Amino acid sequence: GHGVAVVKKILAGRPGAPLTTYGDMPFWTAATYKKLVQIFQRTLSVQKEKPVLVLASVRLGPEYLYGRLIKDKQGRILESVEVKNATPAQLKKFPDQNPCLYCFDNQWLFKNLPKVKKNPVSGEYYLTDLVGLAVRQGKKIVEFKVRDRQQAIGVNSRQELEVAEKILNKVL
């Protein structure tokens, strides 16, 4: 959440739909970014209720320590829970992971960013908390399921760095 807070002075109060992701996610493509924005814009024009966010989801497996998207029986997203905060039951029951690629309604984002509180377990501010906040407010969220799982691989450990290097060696 800190990175988004830094650009608040520039973007707050403006219309638009900023994309946000983590800096350690080197495989997202321009086509995926474009698709996320298109989904946001299409949902905005087709439905009466505009979304406050479109989020990417992926199923990489438990070896990737991404937060889980907690859903109701109808498959609607209720919240995003970071691995550090998830129960073993949540990790087992909910396979959809949140790789933290979002397209937000700009005005909603900056109005609600101050409501994100420091996480008691990690001491961090989680942008992912905005997912549950939007749900509690009754706002629309749209999920974009990433089919090319490789794009959602981040680099947070030596093991993930090795995976990333193998991917790059195949591409180059």
Side-chain angles (χ1 to χ4, degrees):
H2 177 72
V4 175
V6 169
V7 298
K8 182 176 181 177
K9 288 181 183 176
I10 299 168
L11 297 178
R14 294 180 176 206
L19 283 171
T20 64
T21 191
Y22 293 149
D24 59 6
M25 305 289 287
F27 298 113
W28 290 124
T29 65
T32 296
Y33 291 150
K34 186 175 181 178
K35 179 75 174 170
L36 206 69
V37 172
Q38 287 173 338
I39 291 169
F40 185 89
Q41 291 171 336
R42 187 176 35 221
T43 304
L44 192 60
S45 65
V46 172
Q47 299 185 2
K48 292 178 185 177
E49 180 187 5
K50 71 177 186 173
V52 294
L53 73 110
V54 175
L55 63 84
S57 69
V58 68
R59 289 186 179 185
L60 289 174
E63 66 274 17
Y64 288 90
L65 302 178
Y66 293 176
R68 296 299 194 276
L69 294 172
I70 308 303
K71 298 181 177 184
D72 65 15
K73 290 180 181 177
Q74 289 75 38
R76 291 179 300 235
I77 296 171
L78 300 174
E79 66 179 320
S80 180
V81 177
E82 291 296 314
V83 169
K84 295 174 189 175
N85 301 93
T87 66
Q90 287 173 321
L91 293 174
K92 186 175 181 179
K93 183 177 180 180
F94 299 103
D96 292 331
Q97 295 167 295
N98 182 356
C100 296
L101 175 59
Y102 303 105
C103 183
F104 285 99
D105 172 82
N106 195 58
Q107 293 179 353
W108 181 89
L109 171 63
F110 289 109
K111 178 181 176 186
N112 287 280
L113 193 60
K115 297 175 184 173
V116 174
K117 304 298 178 206
K118 190 180 285 190
N119 184 279
V121 175
S122 69
E124 299 173 278
Y125 293 92
Y126 291 148
L127 204 56
T128 55
D129 288 349
L130 289 170
V131 175
L133 180 62
V135 170
R136 288 188 300 279
Q137 292 176 353
K139 301 296 184 182
K140 182 166 188 60
I141 296 174
V142 177
E143 179 181 8
F144 167 55
K145 295 183 184 231
V146 176
R147 301 288 178 228
D148 179 3
R149 298 171 26 181
Q150 177 177 294
Q151 287 188 56
I153 293 174
V155 181
N156 288 294
S157 67
R158 284 206 178 274
Q159 180 184 5
E160 290 173 354
L161 179 60
E162 289 173 15
V163 170
E165 287 174 342
K166 287 177 185 174
I167 292 168
L168 286 174
N169 286 332
K170 286 180 188 175
V171 173
L172 303 175

